[in-house]
Amino acid sequence: MSYDFWLLPAKHCQTAAAARAFALAQNVADEPATSIASSLAADISAVNADLTEEQGFLSVTPLSGTGTAVFVPSPWRRIQDARDVMVPRAFAADYGNMTHSST
């Protein structure tokens, strides 16, 4: 089981419905990642790459962005580890809100 995070620019997350619509639109558009999304994905992937397989917090590596969004799948048992890495990086990039879903 995976827990899936979407990192989105804060300006598109005024409400939960707006964030969801924006994330779905990014996914359907399948646009190349912006430089900020690429950097954010690469930074999070690099942290995971330095860990053992048992300590890793990503279900898929390396991460990539789609437009301005970054999809971050995490094994269920590593959700908090993923958050500990993502949250400060997301806020620093003005991706101040995150939506999530479990699959």
Side-chain angles (χ1 to χ4, degrees):
M1 180 175 255
S2 180
Y3 194 85
D4 305 324
F5 296 92
W6 277 95
L7 303 179
L8 308 171
K11 68 182 180 181
H12 298 289
C13 301
Q14 302 303 322
T15 66
R20 184 179 193 289
F22 182 78
L24 293 174
Q26 292 292 290
N27 193 41
V28 172
D30 196 27
E31 297 175 358
T34 63
S35 61
I36 294 172
S38 290
S39 294
L40 188 55
D43 188 25
I44 293 167
S45 294
V47 173
N48 188 76
D50 289 339
L51 302 173
T52 66
E53 186 175 335
E54 294 79 31
Q55 294 173 322
F57 57 87
L58 296 177
S59 298
V60 175
T61 58
L63 297 178
S64 61
T66 301
T68 59
V70 180
F71 175 67
V72 184
S74 178
W76 192 255
R77 69 187 187 288
R78 296 285 181 221
I79 294 168
Q80 188 58 51
D81 298 326
R83 285 181 180 165
D84 290 345
V85 171
M86 290 185 311
V87 169
R89 288 163 174 79
F91 275 77
D94 200 23
Y95 280 53
N97 293 297
M98 295 181 291
T99 63
H100 55 81
S101 65
S102 55
T103 57

